[in-house]
Amino acid sequence: MTTFDERERAFENKFAHDAEMQFRAEARRNKLLGLWAAELMGKTGDDAENYAKEIVKADLSKPEHEAVVQRVAMDLGGDADEATVRRKMDELLTVAKAQLIDEV
């Protein structure tokens, strides 16, 4: 195997790893967002966990983050608008990435 082939394989492995980590971070962010929204709605325990799972599934069924934003904003009613939900998503993505790094 040539050096070029080795470099190409390493690049492909890094790309796959980065894509997987981004997917996991976004799924974790959505769960954290669901837990945050559940808390604002007064849900606790299993109800909060189930709501968070619904938010993760919503993103998996329609891989458009806007669907999650709209769903959470609609569920929260007057407690948070779409802009607030987007800001919270940005904040929680940083938290999710840090959590994943700590787990490694």
Side-chain angles (χ1 to χ4, degrees):
M1 181 175 287
T2 67
T3 302
F4 179 76
D5 291 335
E6 291 171 4
R7 289 182 66 183
E8 183 178 26
R9 180 179 294 163
F11 179 76
E12 289 171 353
N13 288 340
K14 181 180 180 337
F15 180 81
H17 178 264
D18 290 349
E20 178 186 352
M21 290 302 289
Q22 184 66 26
F23 173 82
R24 290 177 63 202
E26 289 173 1
R28 174 81 55 103
R29 177 212 51 211
N30 290 343
K31 180 179 180 185
L32 294 171
L33 181 71
L35 292 172
W36 169 77
E39 183 180 344
L40 290 178
M41 290 184 281
K43 296 179 185 238
T44 58
D46 288 342
D47 287 340
E49 286 291 328
N50 289 334
Y51 180 77
K53 287 177 185 175
E54 286 179 30
I55 298 303
V56 172
K57 287 179 186 175
D59 193 43
L60 293 176
S61 64
K62 288 184 178 179
E64 305 166 7
H65 300 303
E66 281 303 305
V68 171
V69 170
Q70 291 170 355
R71 163 79 190 270
V72 171
M74 182 183 70
D75 290 348
L76 289 173
D79 290 337
D81 61 3
E82 289 184 12
T84 302
V85 173
R86 280 190 200 91
R87 280 192 302 273
K88 192 65 175 178
M89 285 178 79
D90 290 341
E91 174 188 321
L92 292 173
L93 184 59
T94 303
V95 171
K97 286 180 178 180
Q99 288 177 355
L100 289 172
I101 289 170
D102 287 345
E103 289 175 4
V104 174

